[in-house]
Amino acid sequence: MRIVVSGTHATGKSTLISDFALRHPQFVVLPDPFELIDERWDGPHPAAFAAQLRIAADRLRHPEAADLIAERGPLDFLAYLWALDRMDVAGIDPDLLDRARAITAEAMRHVDLVVVLPLAADDVDGPAPDEDGEDAELREMMNDILLDLVDDEDLVGPRARIVEIGGAREARLAAFIDAVDRFGR
């Protein structure tokens, strides 16, 4: 089973994946693509999100194991790119957005389950994003776009099941386990 855990920054993706993996060691955990890029940009940058999108897509097309959980998928980075474009933060080439959409759609054909952690101030464990110096406007815009993208069947494809999970840490874990049980092979 191929699972992607998606959401804007600081929504509890790493915590949820870690909690699940402790109980299900048969799953290979793929880290956030940000950890895999060599370049470091000062702040959100289209090239950084495009690089992460390619990594996220490639690893879904050529998985290292049948059972895997990827922290973030191409939908996340497509949402970040569109958020930057809508915020008019950086001049984003429309061809980049078209290519990113095509790469995302192709990669999503290999995903069984997308677990979306929508932004909600009252259900995230850990420090608030503003306390971490995170860009609140980008965070909110990405969240809104991601929630729209997961409803786009042309983009997500017919295979992937979408589950939105909220609540406290234990409730999220229980909902994640339930989704894997319901939609697993």
Coordinates of all heavy atoms in Angstrom, one line a residue, residues 17-113:
I17 N 3.1 10.2 11.3 CA 3.8 9.1 10.6 C 4.7 8.3 11.6 O 4.7 7.1 11.6 CB 4.7 9.7 9.5 CG1 3.8 10.2 8.4 CG2 5.6 8.6 8.9 CD1 4.5 11.0 7.3
S18 N 5.4 9.0 12.5 CA 6.2 8.3 13.5 C 5.3 7.4 14.4 O 5.7 6.3 14.7 CB 6.9 9.4 14.3 OG 7.7 8.8 15.3
D19 N 4.2 8.0 14.9 CA 3.3 7.2 15.7 C 2.8 5.9 15.0 O 2.8 4.8 15.6 CB 2.1 8.0 16.2 CG 2.5 9.1 17.2 OD1 3.7 9.1 17.7 OD2 1.7 10.0 17.4
F20 N 2.4 6.1 13.7 CA 1.9 4.9 13.0 C 3.0 3.9 12.7 O 2.8 2.7 12.9 CB 1.4 5.5 11.6 CG 0.8 4.4 10.8 CD1 -0.5 3.9 10.9 CD2 1.6 3.8 9.8 CE1 -1.0 2.9 10.2 CE2 1.1 2.7 9.0 CZ -0.2 2.3 9.2
A21 N 4.2 4.4 12.3 CA 5.3 3.5 12.0 C 5.8 2.7 13.2 O 6.2 1.5 13.0 CB 6.5 4.3 11.4
L22 N 5.7 3.2 14.4 CA 6.0 2.4 15.6 C 5.2 1.2 15.7 O 5.6 0.2 16.2 CB 5.9 3.3 16.8 CG 7.0 4.3 17.0 CD1 6.7 5.2 18.2 CD2 8.4 3.6 17.2
R23 N 3.9 1.3 15.3 CA 3.0 0.2 15.4 C 2.9 -0.7 14.1 O 2.4 -1.7 14.2 CB 1.6 0.7 15.7 CG 1.4 1.3 17.1 CD 0.1 2.0 17.3 NE -0.2 2.4 18.6 CZ 0.2 3.6 19.1 NH1 0.8 4.5 18.4 NH2 -0.1 3.9 20.4
H24 N 3.5 -0.1 13.0 CA 3.4 -0.8 11.8 C 4.8 -0.8 11.1 O 5.0 -0.1 10.1 CB 2.4 -0.2 10.8 CG 1.0 -0.3 11.4 ND1 0.5 0.7 12.2 CD2 0.0 -1.2 11.2 CE1 -0.7 0.4 12.6 NE2 -1.0 -0.8 12.0
P25 N 5.8 -1.5 11.6 CA 7.1 -1.5 11.1 C 7.3 -2.0 9.7 O 8.4 -1.8 9.1 CB 7.9 -2.3 12.2 CG 6.9 -3.2 12.8 CD 5.6 -2.5 12.8
Q26 N 6.3 -2.7 9.2 CA 6.4 -3.2 7.8 C 6.4 -2.1 6.8 O 6.8 -2.3 5.6 CB 5.3 -4.2 7.5 CG 3.9 -3.6 7.3 CD 3.1 -3.5 8.6 OE1 3.7 -3.4 9.7 NE2 1.8 -3.4 8.4
F27 N 6.0 -0.9 7.2 CA 5.9 0.2 6.2 C 7.3 0.9 6.2 O 7.9 1.2 7.2 CB 4.9 1.3 6.7 CG 3.5 0.9 6.3 CD1 2.7 0.0 7.0 CD2 2.9 1.4 5.1 CE1 1.4 -0.3 6.7 CE2 1.7 1.0 4.7 CZ 0.9 0.2 5.5
V28 N 7.8 1.2 5.0 CA 8.9 2.0 4.8 C 8.5 3.5 4.8 O 7.5 3.9 4.2 CB 9.6 1.7 3.4 CG1 10.7 2.7 3.1 CG2 10.1 0.3 3.3
V29 N 9.2 4.3 5.6 CA 8.9 5.7 5.8 C 9.8 6.5 4.9 O 11.0 6.4 5.1 CB 8.9 6.1 7.3 CG1 8.7 7.6 7.4 CG2 7.9 5.3 8.1
L30 N 9.2 7.3 4.0 CA 10.0 8.2 3.2 C 9.9 9.6 3.8 O 8.8 10.1 4.0 CB 9.5 8.2 1.8 CG 9.4 6.9 1.1 CD1 8.8 7.0 -0.3 CD2 10.8 6.3 1.0
P31 N 11.1 10.3 4.1 CA 11.0 11.6 4.8 C 10.5 12.7 3.9 O 10.4 12.5 2.7 CB 12.5 11.8 5.1 CG 13.3 11.1 4.0 CD 12.4 9.8 3.7
D32 N 10.3 13.8 4.5 CA 9.9 15.0 3.8 C 11.0 15.3 2.7 O 12.2 15.3 3.0 CB 9.8 16.2 4.8 CG 9.2 17.5 4.2 OD1 9.5 17.7 3.0 OD2 8.6 18.2 4.9
P33 N 10.6 15.5 1.5 CA 11.6 15.8 0.4 C 12.5 17.0 0.7 O 13.6 17.1 0.2 CB 10.8 16.1 -0.8 CG 9.5 15.2 -0.6 CD 9.3 15.4 0.9
F34 N 12.1 17.9 1.6 CA 12.9 19.0 1.9 C 14.3 18.5 2.5 O 15.3 19.1 2.3 CB 12.2 20.0 3.0 CG 13.1 21.1 3.4 CD1 13.2 22.2 2.5 CD2 13.8 21.1 4.6 CE1 14.0 23.3 2.9 CE2 14.6 22.2 4.9 CZ 14.7 23.3 4.1
E35 N 14.2 17.4 3.2 CA 15.4 16.9 3.8 C 16.3 16.3 2.8 O 17.5 16.0 3.1 CB 15.0 15.8 4.9 CG 14.2 16.3 6.0 CD 13.7 15.2 6.9 OE1 14.3 14.1 6.9 OE2 12.8 15.4 7.7
L36 N 15.8 16.1 1.6 CA 16.6 15.4 0.5 C 17.2 16.4 -0.5 O 17.9 15.9 -1.4 CB 15.8 14.4 -0.2 CG 15.1 13.3 0.8 CD1 14.2 12.4 0.0 CD2 16.2 12.5 1.5
I37 N 16.9 17.6 -0.4 CA 17.4 18.6 -1.4 C 18.7 19.2 -0.9 O 18.8 19.5 0.3 CB 16.4 19.7 -1.9 CG1 15.9 20.5 -0.7 CG2 15.2 19.0 -2.6 CD1 15.1 21.7 -1.1
D38 N 19.7 19.3 -1.8 CA 21.0 19.9 -1.4 C 20.9 21.4 -1.3 O 21.5 21.9 -0.4 CB 22.0 19.5 -2.5 CG 22.3 18.0 -2.5 OD1 22.2 17.4 -1.4 OD2 22.7 17.5 -3.5
E39 N 20.2 22.0 -2.2 CA 20.2 23.5 -2.1 C 19.4 24.0 -1.0 O 18.4 23.4 -0.6 CB 19.6 24.0 -3.5 CG 20.4 23.6 -4.7 CD 19.9 22.4 -5.3 OE1 19.0 22.5 -6.1 OE2 20.5 21.3 -5.1
R40 N 19.7 25.1 -0.5 CA 19.0 25.8 0.6 C 18.7 27.2 0.1 O 19.6 28.0 -0.2 CB 19.8 25.8 1.9 CG 20.1 24.4 2.5 CD 18.8 23.8 3.0 NE 19.2 22.5 3.5 CZ 18.6 21.3 3.1 NH1 17.7 21.3 2.2 NH2 19.0 20.2 3.7
W41 N 17.4 27.5 0.1 CA 17.0 28.8 -0.3 C 16.6 29.6 0.9 O 16.1 29.0 1.9 CB 15.8 28.7 -1.3 CG 16.1 28.2 -2.6 CD1 16.5 29.0 -3.7 CD2 16.2 26.9 -3.1 NE1 16.7 28.2 -4.8 CE2 16.6 26.9 -4.5 CE3 15.9 25.6 -2.5 CZ2 16.7 25.8 -5.3 CZ3 16.1 24.5 -3.3 CH2 16.5 24.6 -4.7
D42 N 16.8 30.9 0.8 CA 16.4 31.8 1.9 C 14.9 32.1 1.8 O 14.5 32.9 1.0 CB 17.2 33.1 1.8 CG 16.9 34.0 3.0 OD1 16.5 33.4 4.1 OD2 17.1 35.2 2.9
G43 N 14.1 31.3 2.5 CA 12.6 31.5 2.4 C 12.0 30.6 1.3 O 12.7 30.0 0.5
P44 N 10.7 30.6 1.2 CA 10.0 29.9 0.1 C 10.4 30.3 -1.2 O 10.4 31.5 -1.5 CB 8.5 30.2 0.4 CG 8.5 30.7 1.8 CD 9.8 31.4 2.0
H45 N 10.7 29.4 -2.1 CA 11.2 29.7 -3.4 C 10.6 28.7 -4.4 O 10.6 27.5 -4.1 CB 12.7 29.7 -3.5 CG 13.3 30.3 -4.7 ND1 13.4 29.6 -5.9 CD2 13.8 31.5 -4.9 CE1 13.9 30.4 -6.8 NE2 14.2 31.5 -6.3
P46 N 10.1 29.1 -5.6 CA 9.6 28.2 -6.6 C 10.5 27.1 -6.9 O 10.1 25.9 -7.1 CB 9.3 29.1 -7.8 CG 9.1 30.4 -7.2 CD 10.0 30.5 -6.0
A47 N 11.8 27.4 -7.1 CA 12.7 26.3 -7.5 C 12.9 25.2 -6.4 O 13.0 24.0 -6.7 CB 14.1 26.9 -7.8
A48 N 12.8 25.6 -5.2 CA 12.9 24.7 -4.1 C 11.6 23.8 -4.1 O 11.7 22.5 -3.9 CB 13.0 25.4 -2.7
F49 N 10.5 24.4 -4.2 CA 9.2 23.6 -4.3 C 9.2 22.7 -5.5 O 8.7 21.5 -5.4 CB 8.0 24.4 -4.2 CG 7.8 25.1 -2.8 CD1 7.5 26.4 -2.7 CD2 7.9 24.4 -1.7 CE1 7.4 27.1 -1.5 CE2 7.8 25.0 -0.4 CZ 7.5 26.3 -0.3
A50 N 9.7 23.1 -6.6 CA 9.7 22.3 -7.9 C 10.6 21.1 -7.7 O 10.3 20.0 -8.1 CB 10.1 23.2 -9.1
A51 N 11.8 21.4 -7.0 CA 12.7 20.3 -6.8 C 12.1 19.2 -5.9 O 12.2 18.0 -6.1 CB 14.0 20.8 -6.2
Q52 N 11.4 19.7 -4.8 CA 10.8 18.7 -3.9 C 9.6 18.0 -4.6 O 9.4 16.8 -4.3 CB 10.3 19.5 -2.7 CG 11.5 20.0 -1.8 CD 11.0 21.0 -0.8 OE1 10.6 20.5 0.3 NE2 11.0 22.3 -1.0
L53 N 8.9 18.7 -5.5 CA 7.8 18.0 -6.2 C 8.4 16.9 -7.0 O 7.8 15.7 -7.1 CB 7.1 19.0 -7.1 CG 5.9 18.5 -7.8 CD1 4.8 19.6 -7.9 CD2 6.2 17.9 -9.2
R54 N 9.5 17.1 -7.7 CA 10.1 16.0 -8.5 C 10.6 14.8 -7.7 O 10.3 13.7 -8.1 CB 11.3 16.6 -9.4 CG 10.8 17.4 -10.6 CD 12.0 17.8 -11.4 NE 13.0 18.6 -10.8 CZ 12.9 19.9 -10.7 NH1 11.9 20.6 -11.1 NH2 13.9 20.6 -10.1
I55 N 11.2 15.1 -6.5 CA 11.6 14.0 -5.6 C 10.3 13.3 -5.2 O 10.3 12.0 -5.2 CB 12.3 14.6 -4.4 CG1 13.7 15.1 -4.9 CG2 12.5 13.5 -3.3 CD1 14.4 16.0 -3.8
A56 N 9.3 14.0 -4.7 CA 8.1 13.3 -4.2 C 7.4 12.5 -5.3 O 7.0 11.4 -5.0 CB 7.1 14.4 -3.7
A57 N 7.4 12.9 -6.5 CA 6.8 12.2 -7.6 C 7.7 11.0 -8.0 O 7.2 9.9 -8.1 CB 6.7 13.1 -8.9
D58 N 9.0 11.2 -8.1 CA 9.9 10.1 -8.5 C 9.8 8.9 -7.5 O 9.8 7.7 -7.9 CB 11.3 10.5 -8.6 CG 11.5 11.4 -9.9 OD1 10.7 11.4 -10.8 OD2 12.6 12.1 -9.9
R59 N 9.8 9.2 -6.2 CA 9.8 8.1 -5.3 C 8.5 7.3 -5.2 O 8.5 6.2 -4.8 CB 10.2 8.6 -3.9 CG 9.3 9.5 -3.2 CD 9.9 10.1 -2.0 NE 8.9 10.9 -1.3 CZ 9.2 11.4 -0.1 NH1 10.4 11.3 0.4 NH2 8.3 12.1 0.5
L60 N 7.4 7.9 -5.7 CA 6.1 7.2 -5.8 C 6.1 6.3 -7.0 O 5.5 5.2 -7.0 CB 4.9 8.2 -5.8 CG 4.7 8.9 -4.5 CD1 3.7 10.0 -4.7 CD2 4.4 8.0 -3.4
R61 N 6.7 6.7 -8.1 CA 6.8 5.9 -9.3 C 7.7 4.7 -9.2 O 7.5 3.7 -9.8 CB 7.2 6.8 -10.5 CG 6.1 7.8 -10.9 CD 6.5 8.4 -12.2 NE 7.7 9.2 -12.1 CZ 7.7 10.6 -12.1 NH1 6.5 11.2 -12.3 NH2 8.8 11.3 -12.0
H62 N 8.7 4.9 -8.4 CA 9.7 3.8 -8.2 C 9.9 3.5 -6.7 O 10.9 3.8 -6.1 CB 11.0 4.2 -8.8 CG 10.9 4.7 -10.2 ND1 10.7 3.8 -11.3 CD2 11.0 5.9 -10.8 CE1 10.6 4.5 -12.4 NE2 10.8 5.7 -12.1
P63 N 8.9 3.0 -6.1 CA 8.9 2.7 -4.6 C 10.0 1.7 -4.3 O 10.2 0.7 -5.0 CB 7.5 2.3 -4.3 CG 7.0 1.6 -5.5 CD 7.6 2.4 -6.7
E64 N 10.6 1.9 -3.1 CA 11.5 0.9 -2.6 C 10.9 -0.3 -1.9 O 11.5 -1.3 -1.7 CB 12.4 1.7 -1.6 CG 13.2 2.8 -2.2 CD 13.6 3.8 -1.2 OE1 13.4 3.7 0.0 OE2 14.2 4.8 -1.6
A65 N 9.6 -0.1 -1.6 CA 8.9 -1.2 -1.0 C 7.4 -1.1 -1.4 O 6.9 -0.1 -1.8 CB 9.0 -1.1 0.5
A66 N 6.7 -2.2 -1.2 CA 5.3 -2.2 -1.6 C 4.5 -1.4 -0.6 O 3.6 -0.7 -0.9 CB 4.8 -3.6 -1.6
D67 N 4.9 -1.5 0.7 CA 4.2 -0.8 1.8 C 5.0 0.4 2.2 O 6.1 0.3 2.8 CB 3.9 -1.6 3.0 CG 2.9 -2.7 2.7 OD1 2.0 -2.4 1.9 OD2 2.9 -3.8 3.4
L68 N 4.6 1.6 1.8 CA 5.3 2.8 2.2 C 4.4 4.0 2.6 O 3.3 4.0 2.2 CB 6.3 3.2 1.0 CG 5.7 3.7 -0.3 CD1 5.4 5.2 -0.2 CD2 6.7 3.5 -1.4
I69 N 5.0 4.8 3.4 CA 4.4 6.1 3.8 C 5.3 7.2 3.4 O 6.5 7.2 3.9 CB 4.1 6.1 5.3 CG1 3.2 5.0 5.7 CG2 3.4 7.5 5.6 CD1 3.1 4.9 7.2
A70 N 4.8 8.1 2.6 CA 5.7 9.3 2.2 C 5.2 10.5 2.9 O 4.0 10.8 2.9 CB 5.6 9.5 0.7
E71 N 6.1 11.2 3.6 CA 5.7 12.4 4.2 C 5.8 13.5 3.1 O 6.8 13.8 2.5 CB 6.7 12.8 5.3 CG 6.3 14.1 6.0 CD 7.2 14.5 7.2 OE1 8.0 13.7 7.6 OE2 7.1 15.7 7.6
R72 N 4.6 13.9 2.7 CA 4.4 14.8 1.6 C 4.5 14.1 0.3 O 5.3 13.2 0.1 CB 5.3 16.0 1.6 CG 5.1 16.9 2.9 CD 5.8 18.2 2.6 NE 5.8 19.0 3.8 CZ 5.3 20.2 3.9 NH1 4.8 20.8 2.8 NH2 5.3 20.9 5.0
G73 N 3.6 14.6 -0.6 CA 3.6 14.1 -2.0 C 3.6 15.2 -2.9 O 3.7 16.4 -2.5
P74 N 3.5 14.9 -4.2 CA 3.6 16.0 -5.2 C 2.4 17.0 -5.1 O 2.6 18.2 -5.4 CB 3.5 15.3 -6.6 CG 3.2 13.9 -6.3 CD 3.5 13.6 -4.8
L75 N 1.3 16.6 -4.5 CA 0.2 17.5 -4.3 C 0.6 18.6 -3.4 O 0.2 19.8 -3.6 CB -1.0 16.8 -3.7 CG -1.9 15.9 -4.6 CD1 -2.8 15.1 -3.8 CD2 -2.6 16.7 -5.7
D76 N 1.4 18.3 -2.4 CA 1.8 19.4 -1.4 C 2.6 20.5 -2.1 O 2.3 21.6 -1.9 CB 2.7 18.7 -0.4 CG 2.0 17.8 0.5 OD1 1.7 16.6 0.1 OD2 1.7 18.1 1.7
F77 N 3.5 20.0 -3.0 CA 4.4 21.0 -3.6 C 3.7 21.7 -4.8 O 4.0 22.9 -5.0 CB 5.7 20.4 -4.0 CG 6.3 19.7 -2.8 CD1 6.4 18.4 -2.6 CD2 6.8 20.6 -1.8 CE1 6.9 17.8 -1.5 CE2 7.4 20.0 -0.6 CZ 7.4 18.6 -0.5
L78 N 2.8 21.1 -5.4 CA 2.0 21.8 -6.4 C 1.1 22.9 -5.7 O 1.0 24.0 -6.2 CB 1.0 20.8 -7.1 CG 0.1 21.4 -8.2 CD1 1.0 22.1 -9.3 CD2 -0.8 20.3 -8.8
A79 N 0.6 22.6 -4.5 CA -0.2 23.5 -3.8 C 0.7 24.7 -3.3 O 0.3 25.9 -3.4 CB -0.8 22.9 -2.5
Y80 N 2.0 24.4 -2.9 CA 2.9 25.5 -2.5 C 3.2 26.4 -3.7 O 3.2 27.6 -3.6 CB 4.2 25.0 -1.9 CG 4.1 24.7 -0.5 CD1 4.3 23.4 0.0 CD2 3.9 25.7 0.4 CE1 4.3 23.2 1.4 CE2 3.8 25.5 1.8 CZ 4.0 24.2 2.3 OH 4.0 24.0 3.6
L81 N 3.4 25.8 -4.9 CA 3.7 26.6 -6.1 C 2.5 27.5 -6.5 O 2.7 28.7 -6.8 CB 4.1 25.7 -7.3 CG 5.4 25.0 -7.2 CD1 5.6 23.9 -8.3 CD2 6.6 26.0 -7.4
W82 N 1.3 26.9 -6.4 CA 0.2 27.7 -6.7 C -0.1 28.8 -5.7 O -0.5 29.9 -6.0 CB -1.1 26.9 -6.9 CG -1.1 26.2 -8.3 CD1 -0.3 26.4 -9.3 CD2 -2.1 25.2 -8.7 NE1 -0.6 25.6 -10.4 CE2 -1.7 24.9 -10.0 CE3 -3.2 24.6 -8.1 CZ2 -2.4 24.0 -10.8 CZ3 -3.9 23.7 -8.9 CH2 -3.5 23.4 -10.2
A83 N 0.3 28.5 -4.4 CA 0.1 29.5 -3.4 C 1.1 30.7 -3.6 O 0.7 31.8 -3.5 CB 0.4 28.9 -2.0
L84 N 2.3 30.4 -4.0 CA 3.3 31.5 -4.3 C 2.8 32.3 -5.5 O 2.9 33.5 -5.5 CB 4.7 30.9 -4.6 CG 5.5 30.3 -3.4 CD1 6.8 29.8 -3.9 CD2 5.7 31.4 -2.3
D85 N 2.2 31.6 -6.5 CA 1.7 32.3 -7.7 C 0.6 33.2 -7.3 O 0.6 34.3 -7.7 CB 1.3 31.2 -8.7 CG 0.9 31.9 -10.0 OD1 1.8 32.7 -10.6 OD2 -0.2 31.7 -10.5
R86 N -0.4 32.7 -6.5 CA -1.5 33.5 -6.1 C -1.1 34.7 -5.2 O -1.8 35.7 -5.2 CB -2.6 32.7 -5.4 CG -3.3 31.8 -6.4 CD -4.5 31.1 -5.8 NE -5.0 30.1 -6.7 CZ -5.8 29.2 -6.3 NH1 -6.2 29.0 -5.1 NH2 -6.3 28.3 -7.2
M87 N -0.1 34.5 -4.4 CA 0.3 35.5 -3.5 C 1.2 36.5 -4.3 O 1.6 37.6 -3.7 CB 1.1 34.9 -2.3 CG 0.2 34.1 -1.4 SD 1.2 33.1 -0.2 CE 2.2 34.4 0.6
D88 N 1.6 36.2 -5.5 CA 2.4 37.0 -6.3 C 3.7 37.3 -5.6 O 4.3 38.4 -5.7 CB 1.7 38.3 -6.7 CG 2.3 38.9 -8.0 OD1 2.9 38.2 -8.8 OD2 2.1 40.1 -8.2
V89 N 4.3 36.3 -4.9 CA 5.5 36.4 -4.2 C 6.7 36.3 -5.2 O 7.7 37.0 -5.1 CB 5.7 35.3 -3.1 CG1 7.0 35.3 -2.5 CG2 4.6 35.5 -2.1
A90 N 6.6 35.4 -6.1 CA 7.7 35.2 -7.1 C 7.0 35.0 -8.5 O 6.0 34.4 -8.6 CB 8.4 34.0 -6.7
G91 N 7.7 35.6 -9.5 CA 7.2 35.4 -10.8 C 7.3 34.0 -11.2 O 8.4 33.5 -11.5
I92 N 6.2 33.2 -11.2 CA 6.3 31.8 -11.6 C 5.8 31.6 -13.0 O 4.8 32.1 -13.4 CB 5.4 31.0 -10.6 CG1 5.9 31.1 -9.2 CG2 5.4 29.5 -11.1 CD1 5.1 30.3 -8.2
D93 N 6.7 31.0 -13.8 CA 6.4 30.7 -15.2 C 5.2 29.8 -15.3 O 5.1 28.7 -14.6 CB 7.6 30.0 -15.8 CG 7.5 29.7 -17.3 OD1 6.4 29.8 -17.8 OD2 8.5 29.4 -17.9
P94 N 4.2 30.1 -16.0 CA 3.0 29.3 -16.2 C 3.3 27.9 -16.7 O 2.7 26.9 -16.4 CB 2.1 30.0 -17.2 CG 2.5 31.4 -17.1 CD 4.0 31.4 -16.8
D95 N 4.4 27.8 -17.5 CA 4.8 26.5 -18.0 C 5.3 25.6 -16.8 O 5.1 24.4 -16.8 CB 6.0 26.6 -19.0 CG 5.5 27.1 -20.3 OD1 4.3 27.1 -20.6 OD2 6.4 27.6 -21.1
L96 N 5.9 26.2 -15.8 CA 6.3 25.4 -14.6 C 5.1 24.9 -13.9 O 5.1 23.7 -13.5 CB 7.1 26.3 -13.6 CG 7.4 25.7 -12.3 CD1 8.3 24.5 -12.4 CD2 8.0 26.7 -11.3
L97 N 4.0 25.7 -13.8 CA 2.8 25.2 -13.1 C 2.2 24.0 -14.0 O 1.7 23.1 -13.4 CB 1.8 26.3 -12.9 CG 2.3 27.4 -11.9 CD1 1.3 28.5 -11.9 CD2 2.4 26.8 -10.5
D98 N 2.2 24.2 -15.3 CA 1.6 23.1 -16.1 C 2.4 21.8 -16.0 O 1.9 20.7 -15.9 CB 1.6 23.6 -17.6 CG 0.6 24.7 -17.9 OD1 -0.3 24.8 -17.0 OD2 0.7 25.3 -18.9
R99 N 3.8 22.0 -16.0 CA 4.6 20.8 -15.9 C 4.4 20.1 -14.5 O 4.4 18.9 -14.4 CB 6.1 21.1 -16.1 CG 6.5 21.3 -17.5 CD 8.0 21.5 -17.7 NE 8.7 22.4 -16.8 CZ 8.8 23.7 -17.0 NH1 8.4 24.3 -18.1 NH2 9.5 24.4 -16.1
A100 N 4.3 21.0 -13.5 CA 4.2 20.5 -12.1 C 2.8 19.7 -12.0 O 2.8 18.6 -11.4 CB 4.2 21.6 -11.1
R101 N 1.8 20.2 -12.6 CA 0.5 19.6 -12.6 C 0.6 18.2 -13.3 O 0.1 17.2 -12.8 CB -0.6 20.4 -13.2 CG -2.0 19.8 -13.2 CD -3.0 20.7 -13.7 NE -4.3 20.0 -13.8 CZ -5.2 19.8 -12.8 NH1 -4.9 20.4 -11.6 NH2 -6.3 19.2 -13.0
A102 N 1.2 18.1 -14.5 CA 1.4 16.9 -15.2 C 2.2 15.9 -14.4 O 1.8 14.7 -14.4 CB 2.0 17.2 -16.6
I103 N 3.3 16.3 -13.8 CA 4.1 15.4 -13.0 C 3.3 14.8 -11.8 O 3.3 13.6 -11.5 CB 5.4 16.1 -12.5 CG1 6.3 16.3 -13.7 CG2 6.1 15.3 -11.4 CD1 7.4 17.3 -13.4
T104 N 2.5 15.7 -11.2 CA 1.7 15.3 -10.1 C 0.7 14.3 -10.5 O 0.5 13.3 -9.8 CB 1.1 16.6 -9.4 OG1 2.1 17.4 -9.0 CG2 0.1 16.2 -8.3
A105 N -0.1 14.6 -11.5 CA -1.1 13.7 -12.0 C -0.6 12.3 -12.3 O -1.2 11.3 -12.0 CB -1.8 14.3 -13.2
E106 N 0.6 12.2 -13.0 CA 1.2 10.9 -13.3 C 1.6 10.2 -12.0 O 1.4 9.0 -11.9 CB 2.4 11.1 -14.2 CG 2.9 9.9 -14.9 CD 3.7 9.0 -14.0 OE1 4.5 9.5 -13.2 OE2 3.5 7.7 -14.1
A107 N 2.2 10.9 -11.1 CA 2.7 10.2 -9.9 C 1.5 9.7 -9.0 O 1.6 8.7 -8.4 CB 3.6 11.2 -9.1
M108 N 0.5 10.5 -9.0 CA -0.7 10.1 -8.1 C -1.3 8.8 -8.6 O -2.1 8.2 -7.8 CB -1.7 11.2 -8.1 CG -1.2 12.5 -7.3 SD -0.7 12.1 -5.6 CE -2.3 11.6 -5.0
R109 N -1.1 8.4 -9.8 CA -1.6 7.1 -10.3 C -1.0 5.9 -9.5 O -1.6 4.8 -9.5 CB -1.3 6.9 -11.8 CG -1.9 7.8 -12.7 CD -1.7 7.5 -14.2 NE -0.7 6.5 -14.4 CZ 0.2 6.5 -15.4 NH1 0.1 7.4 -16.3 NH2 1.1 5.6 -15.5
H110 N 0.0 6.2 -8.7 CA 0.7 5.1 -8.0 C 0.3 5.1 -6.5 O 0.9 4.4 -5.7 CB 2.2 5.2 -8.1 CG 2.6 5.2 -9.6 ND1 2.7 4.0 -10.3 CD2 2.9 6.2 -10.4 CE1 3.1 4.3 -11.5 NE2 3.2 5.6 -11.6
V111 N -0.6 6.0 -6.1 CA -0.9 6.2 -4.7 C -2.2 5.6 -4.3 O -3.2 5.7 -5.1 CB -1.0 7.7 -4.3 CG1 -1.4 8.0 -2.9 CG2 0.4 8.4 -4.6
D112 N -2.3 4.9 -3.2 CA -3.5 4.2 -2.8 C -4.3 5.1 -1.8 O -5.5 5.1 -1.8 CB -3.2 2.9 -2.1 CG -2.5 1.9 -3.0 OD1 -3.1 1.6 -4.0 OD2 -1.3 1.5 -2.7
L113 N -3.6 5.8 -0.9 CA -4.3 6.6 0.1 C -3.5 7.9 0.4 O -2.3 7.9 0.5 CB -4.3 5.8 1.4 CG -4.9 6.4 2.7 CD1 -6.3 6.7 2.5 CD2 -4.6 5.5 3.9

